[in-house]
């Protein structure tokens, strides 16, 4: 093959590749744009910020709707102008046009118009900020503490709601509807961010600070949320759910949370599970009222084993629908759907039914007990704990036998 | 032909794909590595596509000529210093290690830009100007910030060493010198730049030398004692008064924005005000294993101290016979004696939940019946 033929062939090949790449690039742009547009049509979107379910989220929605419209129109104008300019004045070999320093009148106009728009937006934004920052009309307090990678909720004594002794729970925040709830947020390790889109905006949970967030739900229901501040390996698995119950149902929930511990009957699998729990789990997990064989209270010591100094309190575990930082459901899929899809007038009753043996999501619970770090990424490898003074971030692998897991599951189901 | 940019990014993409395949083969779990390499592949492919689509943005009058106008460079030497710091840091301290990284990165960046600018054209002055245009906006602020930081830090060392009255005199002298220098430059605008530079350099060197001397001799005695005593809590919870209590430290924003409860002693009663709860409380909830800030407000006519009872711990004590014996100790922390109408805060963390056998409470020193229960769920 002669040199010129080879060059021609090479040039043709390069031109062909360029054409293919251009087509692929255009397809990619079209596909990305279409994906972004059609993503907005999703129906199963529990964290949709455009569906407020309480007065606080409605304040945000009332602000974001017009701002989004204005910003959208401006964005469209800018995009069309840029595209028009790029195409009309693209380099086609024409001489470079005369260079001017600028047009002061146009520049001042184009500065004043956005400034005025932003000033108007700022007025309404400040109004919304002050409304959302109010705390003097609070009716109920819940302390919320974030840690890698779960949320703890403790309810101080509030006799008007029947809370005569502090309640501690995790994963699901339970609150009465039509009640102005003030969350007092903080963190035990790194910065997290609490966000239930249907009920309010985000608020960071910062170690060493207490920050407040108002929540109020109009109707009973379960509302999903997600930690929105990157907080480590399982940040994406640090979820939360807010459960709004009618005042009557909330009173029942409170009564159940304050009910004394009931030890399983003797000579049952659950009783053997309680022993396994005392030997293995109570190092970190507290179950209020649980006593050792000698009658002394079983006090968990997560401060000696976990970097954050805390592990979920498992009292009344089966009154919750989730575990492992709300990453997994305690309910099987069918039972979960029955609760989540229930109309607002019966969702409370379905939620309060808790997790029965038939509805228990055995698969995920057993997988968690078998090897927690395998199903949820955590810094729990004993070989890599030098930087945390030997303490785990998350639940470690406990090397439980299948027999122990059977016993533990039988025991955990009794924690109603 | 394929453009240079395309070849580069295509190479990055291919290498990333190879790295991903090797990672899949070598590691059981990819986790962050897999995510990072995947993003690298996506970014490389996108940039390769862009480079091919735009032909590297080549213009008709692109100047591709190169030259051999290579000047001497100090950056290899500084890079070597960075590597040495890096190696030293590995066996000494992480500060030295990170210092080495900073020096190395800065030197490599400078070196890279210098190498590029020397080949930008055949005109040496144009090349120098190109380098300056690119790097001076970064170099000047960074060097100024580092220089100012060193001078300010040195001045702070001087002020921490000398006693209070000498410190005041030093401030007056420093202010006067700045005023004189400013006046001199104002009335003699034609003064040589070298004179001004010399004055500034000498002044800075003097401050740095003083700072080094101050750092060597250490902080003045009362600062050392005050640090040992602490600003927020007192070492002993008895009746003794503290000597160096920093009242200004109580007003910090970080402390005021993180109050778990404001405890007020008034009319012989101790009550707690908790944000969001409108009525005064005799019991507060404290999160387990988390720092808790309590502000104590003394609304009486006398001086009082708030004490936090934080349970008991067991420690080994020596008996008279020299044998060690486990003994239970009461764990407490407390404020300093708080003057009438004044406030003070204290911080503590409780790891274990409260129970009937293990109660936590706040009380007024000397009047243990005036107490507030702390419930740790």
């Amino acid at each position: 093959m002669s040199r010129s033929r080879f060059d021609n062939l090479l040039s043709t090949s390069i031109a062909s590749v360029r054409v293919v790449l251009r087509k692929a690039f255009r397809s990619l742009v079209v596909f990305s744009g279409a994906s972004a547009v059609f993503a907005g049509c999703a129906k199963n979107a529990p964290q949709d910020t455009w569906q407020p379910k309480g007065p606080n989220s409605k304040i945000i929605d009332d602000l974001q709707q017009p701002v989004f419209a204005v910003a959208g129109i401006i964005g469209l104008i800018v995009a069309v102008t840029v595209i028009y300019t790029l195409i009309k004045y693209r380099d086609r070999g024409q001489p470079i046009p005369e260079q001017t320093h600028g047009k002061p009148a146009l520049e001042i106009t184009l500065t004043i118009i956005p400034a005025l728009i932003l000033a108007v937006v700022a007025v309404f934004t400040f109004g919304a900020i002050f409304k959302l920052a109010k705390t003097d009309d609070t009716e109920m307090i819940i302390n919320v503490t974030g840690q890698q990678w779960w949320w703890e909720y403790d309810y101080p004594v509030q006799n008007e709601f029947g809370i005569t002794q502090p309640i501690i729970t995790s994963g699901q925040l339970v609150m009465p509807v039509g009640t102005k709830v003030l969350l007092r947020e903080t963190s035990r390790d790194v910065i997290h961010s609490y966000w239930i889109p249907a009920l309010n905006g985000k608020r960071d949970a910062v170690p060493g600070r207490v920050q407040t967030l108002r929540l109020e739900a109009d109707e009973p229901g379960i509302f999903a949320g997600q930690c929105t501040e990157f907080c480590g390996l399982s940040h994406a698995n640090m979820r939360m759910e807010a459960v709004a119950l009618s005042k009557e149902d909330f009173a029942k929930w409170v009564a159940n949370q304050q009910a004394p511990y009931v030890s399983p009957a003797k000579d049952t699998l659950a009783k053997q599970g309680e022993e396994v729990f005392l030997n293995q789990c109570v190092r970190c997990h507290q179950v209020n009222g649980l006593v050792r064989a000698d009658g002394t209270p079983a006090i968990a010591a997560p401060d000696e084993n976990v970097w954050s100094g805390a592990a979920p309190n498992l009292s009344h575990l089966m009154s919750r629908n989730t575990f492992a930082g709300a990453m997994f459901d305690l309910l099987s899929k069918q039972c979960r759907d029955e609760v989540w899809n229930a109309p607002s007038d019966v969702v409370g009753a379905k939620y309060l039914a808790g997790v029965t043996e038939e509805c228990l999501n055995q698969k995920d619970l057993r997988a968690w007990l078998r090897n927690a770090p395998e199903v949820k990424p955590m810094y729990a490898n004993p070989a890599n704990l030098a930087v945390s003074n030997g303490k785990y971030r998350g639940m470690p692998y406990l090397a439980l036998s299948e027999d122990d897991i059977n016993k533990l599951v039988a025991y955990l189901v009794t924690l109603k | 032909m394929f453009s240079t940019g395309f070849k580069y990014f295509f190479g990055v993409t291919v290498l990333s794909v190879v790295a991903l395949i090797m990672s899949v083969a070598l590691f059981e779990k990819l986790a962050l590595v897999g995510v990072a390499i995947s993003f690298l592949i996506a970014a490389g492919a996108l940039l390769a596509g862009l480079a091919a689509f735009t032909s590297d943005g080549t213009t008709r009058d692109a100047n591709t000529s190169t030259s051999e106008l290579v000047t001497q460079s100090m950056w290899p030497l500084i890079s070597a210093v960075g590597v040495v710091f890096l190696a030293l840091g590995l066996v000494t301290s992480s500060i030295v290690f990170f210092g080495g990284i900073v020096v190395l990165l800065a030197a490599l960046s400078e070196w890279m830009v210098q190498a590029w600018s020397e080949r930008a054209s055949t005109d040496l002055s144009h090349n120098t100007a190109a380098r300056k245009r690119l790097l001076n906006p970064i170099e000047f602020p960074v060097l100024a910030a580092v220089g100012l930081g060193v001078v300010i830090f040195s001045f702070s060392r001087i002020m921490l060493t000398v006693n209070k009255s000498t410190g005041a005199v030093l401030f007056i002298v420093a202010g006067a010198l700045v005023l004189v220098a400013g006046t001199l430059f104002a009335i003699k605008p034609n003064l040589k730049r070298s004179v001004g530079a010399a004055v500034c350099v000498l002044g800075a060197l003097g401050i740095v030398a003083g700072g080094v001397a101050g750092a060597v001799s250490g902080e003045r005695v009362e600062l050392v004692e005050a640090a040992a005593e602490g600003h927020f809590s007192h070492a002993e919870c008895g009746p003794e008064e503290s000597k160096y209590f920093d009242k200004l430290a109580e007003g910090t924003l970080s402390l005021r924005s993180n109050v778990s409860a404001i405890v007020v002693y008034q009319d012989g009663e101790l009550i707690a005000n908790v944000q969001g709860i409108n009525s005064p409380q005799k019991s507060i909830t404290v999160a387990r294993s988390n720092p808790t800030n309590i502000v104590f407000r003394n609304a009486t006519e006398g001086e009082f101290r708030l004490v936090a009872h934080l349970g008991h711990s067991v420690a080994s004590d020596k008996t008279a016979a020299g044998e060690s014996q486990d003994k239970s100790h009461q764990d407490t922390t407390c404020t300093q004696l708080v003057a009438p109408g004044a406030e003070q805060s204290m911080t503590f963390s409780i790891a274990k939940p409260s129970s009937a056998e293990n109660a936590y409470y706040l009380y007024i020193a000397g009047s243990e019946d005036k107490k507030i229960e702390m419930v740790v769920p």
Side-chain angles (χ1 to χ4, degrees):
Chain A
M1 187 185 288
S2 70
R3 175 75 186 262
S4 60
R5 275 194 68 190
F6 174 77
D7 285 350
N8 283 338
L9 188 64
L10 188 63
S11 304
T12 315
S13 305
I14 290 168
S16 306
V17 169
R18 277 195 177 155
V19 169
V20 169
L21 282 173
R22 273 184 193 150
K23 281 184 179 172
F25 185 70
R26 280 174 195 158
S27 304
L28 186 67
V29 170
V30 171
F31 179 74
S32 306
S35 302
V37 171
F38 290 127
C41 303
K43 284 192 174 169
N44 182 20
Q47 291 175 206
D48 188 348
T49 53
W50 297 90
Q51 293 182 42
K53 302 289 184 191
N56 298 300
S57 50
K58 282 197 183 94
I59 291 172
I60 296 173
D61 195 55
D62 290 344
L63 181 67
Q64 76 174 356
Q65 296 267 9
V67 170
F68 187 82
V70 172
I73 291 166
I74 293 170
L76 198 63
I77 292 170
V78 171
V80 168
T81 310
V82 168
I83 292 167
Y84 172 78
T85 311
L86 277 175
I87 294 169
K88 184 167 173 62
Y89 300 106
R90 68 185 183 277
D91 184 7
R92 286 169 296 189
Q94 72 273 45
I96 293 173
E98 184 192 348
Q99 301 294 298
T100 57
H101 182 67
K103 291 185 183 299
L106 182 67
E107 286 172 15
I108 290 168
T109 309
L110 290 180
T111 306
I112 288 174
I113 291 172
L116 284 175
I117 293 171
L118 289 176
V120 172
V121 171
V123 168
F124 291 104
T125 304
F126 276 112
I129 287 172
F130 283 113
K131 279 182 200 165
L132 292 172
K134 268 183 82 174
T135 59
D136 55 0
D137 56 353
T138 300
E139 293 170 300
M140 183 182 199
I141 292 273
I142 303 175
N143 294 318
V144 179
T145 310
Q147 50 266 293
Q148 289 172 323
W149 293 272
W150 57 283
W151 294 96
E152 181 181 87
Y153 306 103
D154 79 69
Y155 299 67
V157 170
Q158 290 163 92
N159 292 315
E160 58 274 36
F161 292 97
I163 305 174
T164 54
Q165 61 190 56
I167 294 171
I168 185 162
T169 183
S170 61
Q172 288 184 315
L173 171 88
V174 182
M175 54 188 270
V177 293
T179 304
K180 292 177 178 61
V181 176
L182 187 73
L183 304 188
R184 300 179 79 245
E185 294 179 18
T186 189
S187 163
R188 287 192 172 100
D189 41 35
V190 299
I191 299 177
H192 304 275
S193 185
Y194 197 85
W195 188 38
I196 305 282
L199 300 183
N200 203 339
K202 303 166 185 175
R203 185 60 43 92
D204 278 7
V206 182
R209 289 180 68 92
V210 176
Q211 314 224 76
T212 55
L213 178 70
R214 291 160 63 92
L215 287 190
E216 184 178 350
D218 292 333
E219 288 189 351
I222 305 179
F223 310 104
Q226 166 73 48
C227 175
T228 51
E229 181 70 49
F230 181 70
C231 56
L233 204 53
S234 253
H235 160 67
N237 300 318
M238 188 173 172
R239 298 171 195 167
M240 60 281 230
E241 289 167 5
V243 182
L245 300 176
S246 67
K247 289 185 175 162
E248 297 74 32
D249 284 340
F250 183 75
K252 289 178 193 167
W253 180 82
V254 168
N256 182 58
Q257 298 299 310
Q258 296 183 138
Y261 174 74
V262 179
S263 184
K266 281 183 182 173
D267 301 326
T268 59
L269 194 65
K271 188 66 183 175
Q272 293 173 35
E274 187 186 64
E275 285 169 27
V276 177
F277 190 91
L278 282 166
N279 290 331
Q280 291 278 3
C281 314
V282 88
R283 275 180 288 177
C284 296
H285 293 289
Q286 184 77 35
V287 169
N288 298 345
L290 178 64
V291 292
R292 296 183 186 281
D294 61 2
T296 57
I299 303 294
D303 50 300
E304 295 167 11
N305 301 297
V306 188
W307 176 253
S308 67
N313 186 311
L314 299 184
S315 308
H316 309 285
L317 172 68
M318 292 297 153
S319 67
R320 308 166 203 169
N321 287 176
T322 63
F323 70 101
M327 180 183 176
F328 299 109
D329 290 306
L330 273 170
L331 289 170
S332 62
K333 187 174 182 317
Q334 187 190 344
C335 294
R336 181 190 185 277
D337 288 346
E338 281 178 18
V339 179
W340 274 71
N341 300 332
S344 62
D345 56 334
V346 294
V347 68
K350 287 192 177 286
Y351 179 75
L352 289 176
V355 182
T356 60
E357 211 160 334
E358 299 74 44
C359 273
L360 179 65
N361 175 8
Q362 296 246 2
K363 182 171 162 278
D364 286 338
L365 183 59
R366 285 173 182 276
W368 178 256
L369 294 171
R370 200 168 286 125
N371 190 351
E374 190 172 76
V375 291
K376 181 174 182 178
M378 293 181 281
Y379 302 108
N381 183 348
N384 299 330
L385 299 181
V387 290
S388 56
N389 297 326
K391 293 181 179 178
Y392 296 98
R393 292 172 193 259
M395 184 158 140
Y397 168 61
L398 295 171
L400 293 172
S401 67
E402 287 302 313
D403 190 36
D404 282 347
I405 291 172
N406 288 338
K407 291 173 185 170
L408 268 178
V409 170
Y411 170 63
L412 293 174
V413 174
T414 68
L415 300 175
K416 302 287 189 190
Chain B
M1 288 291 286
F2 292 114
S3 67
T4 308
F6 171 80
K7 284 187 275 189
Y8 175 73
F9 289 117
F10 184 73
V12 168
T13 310
V14 170
L15 281 175
S16 307
V17 171
V18 172
L20 186 64
I21 293 167
M22 286 179 68
S23 305
V24 170
L26 291 175
F27 304 119
E28 281 184 20
K29 283 188 172 181
L30 287 179
L32 286 176
V33 177
V35 174
I37 298 177
S38 302
F39 271 99
L40 194 59
I41 292 169
L46 180 68
L47 291 170
L50 280 173
F53 186 69
T54 61
S55 303
D56 282 5
T58 310
T59 56
R60 284 167 282 120
D61 56 349
N63 185 355
T64 56
S65 62
T66 57
S67 73
E68 296 301 322
L69 299 171
V70 178
T71 56
Q72 286 189 332
S73 174
M74 62 178 173
W75 299 115
L77 183 66
I78 296 177
S79 300
V81 172
V83 171
V84 171
F85 275 128
L86 209 67
L88 278 176
L90 284 172
V91 292
T92 55
S93 131
S94 57
I95 296 172
V96 179
F97 179 78
F98 287 115
I101 288 180
V102 170
V103 171
L104 196 58
L105 285 178
L108 288 177
S109 306
E110 291 272 5
W111 193 359
M112 204 163 65
V113 173
Q114 189 183 24
W116 162 79
S117 67
E118 284 169 348
R119 288 161 180 78
S121 75
T122 53
D123 182 356
L124 184 59
S125 60
H126 170 80
N127 295 353
T128 310
R131 183 205 162 279
K132 283 183 177 173
R133 199 164 61 239
L134 196 67
L135 286 181
N136 280 0
I138 302 169
E139 285 172 342
F140 287 165
V142 169
L143 287 175
V146 171
L148 276 174
V150 169
V151 170
I152 291 167
F153 185 74
S154 302
F155 192 67
S156 73
R157 296 301 96 188
I158 296 172
M159 299 307 287
L160 289 172
T161 304
V162 299
N163 62 42
K164 281 184 179 177
S165 47
T166 310
V169 171
L170 275 180
F171 253 109
I172 293 168
V173 170
L177 284 175
V178 171
L179 185 67
V180 168
T183 311
L184 195 65
F185 291 137
I187 58 176
K188 289 205 177 282
N190 296 327
L191 204 66
K192 279 187 179 176
R193 286 181 67 185
S194 56
V195 175
V199 169
C200 292
V201 168
L202 281 176
L205 281 177
I207 292 172
V208 172
V212 171
V216 170
S217 66
E219 295 177 7
R220 59 179 181 269
V221 176
E222 68 257 35
L223 287 179
V224 177
E225 288 178 1
E229 186 177 289
H231 285 161
F232 297 107
S233 60
H234 198 54
E236 302 290 332
C237 292
E240 72 282 349
E241 285 193 50
S242 51
K243 196 174 171 187
Y244 301 110
F245 170 45
D246 181 2
K247 292 183 175 59
L248 293 176
E250 296 298 309
T252 58
L253 181 64
S254 60
L255 189 147
R256 292 284 168 187
S257 61
N258 179 30
V259 176
S260 294
I262 297 174
V263 174
V264 184
Y265 188 38
Q266 188 172 22
D267 302 330
E269 280 295 315
L270 198 60
I271 52 154
N273 294 319
V274 180
Q275 184 185 24
I277 301 179
N278 296 327
S279 56
Q281 304 289 301
K282 294 298 285 181
S283 157
I284 59 173
T285 305
V286 171
R288 186 175 172 171
S289 297
N290 216 20
T292 300
N293 281 346
I294 299 286
V295 166
F296 172 50
R297 183 177 296 158
N298 180 11
T300 65
E301 296 301 316
E303 287 193 339
F304 291 99
R305 186 194 307 286
L306 184 72
V307 185
H309 170 74
L310 305 175
H312 294 85
S313 60
V314 177
S316 288
D317 281 358
K318 291 266 183 185
T319 61
E323 295 170 349
S324 66
Q325 186 181 34
D326 285 347
K327 203 173 174 183
S328 177
H329 292 268
Q330 192 183 53
D331 290 333
T332 56
T333 187
C334 55
T335 65
Q336 315 227 6
L337 276 180
V338 177
E343 290 181 349
Q344 204 202 328
S345 72
M346 65 172 156
T347 303
F348 51 81
S349 181
I350 303 175
K352 298 282 185 287
S354 52
S355 61
E357 301 78 26
N358 194 35
Y360 306 110
Y361 49 89
L362 301 163
Y363 64 93
I364 294 294
S367 316
E368 293 205 22
D369 55 320
K370 311 278 190 302
K371 67 166 80 168
I372 287 175
E373 183 191 14
M374 292 192 287
V375 182
V376 183

